[in-house]
Structures are given as structure tokens and as C-alpha cells.
Amino acid sequence: VQLQASGGGLVQAGGSLRLSCVPSGGTFSSYGVGWFRQAPGKEREFVTSISWSGGTSYYVDFVKGRFTISRDNARNTVYLQMKRLKPEDTAVYYCAAGRGARFDNAPVTNPHDYDYWGQGTLVTVSS
């Protein structure tokens, strides 16, 4: 399974974007999905994760109240709605999918717990 992340772009501070993550060559309805981001010169960091059912999600503190992860398994798509964007949100955003019930119980923050990754989509927030 390969993942395709899309929806990035240039937006002014305070604006919104919605990212999408779609698998090619398969389905990820039974997988948990996470979003990570990597800013220039920085390490990749966890943003949010969601269980396979969509019933459980977790967020890193600096996006709580601004970002929302959701999924539509009928459409085989996971979304990341981002609001009130800040210049420090500028990064390449990656979606990733992983197996296991751990997505139901805690945020899955370790990249090594994911089996499949997308190519990333660039989000640039201007001040």
C-alpha cells in the first residue's frame, strides 16, 4: 500500500487548509493513521493519529483546538483539517498507516510503528 497526501499549499496566517491521505493499490480501513510533519532543518514530529474506526484520536499539544483528524472509510480517505494556521506550522506533512489496536489506546507517536508512508505535502504559512 502506498499513501498519497495532498491538499498542501500556501496560506496566510490564520487561514485554513484540509489535507487528504488516500492509499493507492489497496485500502487502509483496518489501519490506524497518523500525520507527521517536518519543518526545514528539524526532525519529523508527530501531529495526530486516529484509530481504524475513527473513534479515537490524539493530538500533540501545539495543534489541539486547531487541527482535526477524521476519516471516511467508505471513501478510503483520512483528512487533516487545519485551522488558525501559524507560520510555525510550515512543514512538509506526511500521512502514515499502521496496524494494531494501539491506535485505540494511546497516541502512536513513533514513526517506526507505521508500516506505510505517503510522499508528503508542503504547507507554507506566511505571516
Side-chain angles (χ1 to χ4, degrees), residues 1-8 18-29 31-35 50 69-80 93-97 116-121:
V1 176
Q2 289 188 326
L3 306 182
Q4 299 288 335
S6 62
R18 189 177 77 163
L19 307 183
S20 298
C21 179
V22 178
S24 60
T27 176
F28 60 9
S29 59
Y31 288 78
V33 174
W35 286 94
I50 191 168
I69 188 171
S70 62
R71 67 188 302 162
D72 183 342
N73 285 339
R75 296 180 182 272
N76 217 17
T77 305
V78 171
Y79 303 99
L80 180 63
Y93 284 71
Y94 298 89
C95 62
Y116 305 105
W117 287 83
Q119 83 289 357
T121 184

Side-chain angles (χ1 to χ4, degrees), residues 31-34 48-58 69-71 78 103:
Y31 288 78
V33 174
T48 178
S49 61
I50 191 168
S51 61
W52 70 270
S53 67
T56 305
S57 58
Y58 296 92
I69 188 171
S70 62
R71 67 188 302 162
V78 171
F103 285 88

Side-chain angles (χ1 to χ4, degrees), residues 94-109:
Y94 298 89
C95 62
R99 298 179 181 91
R102 55 180 175 262
F103 285 88
D104 293 323
N105 304 316
V108 183
T109 64

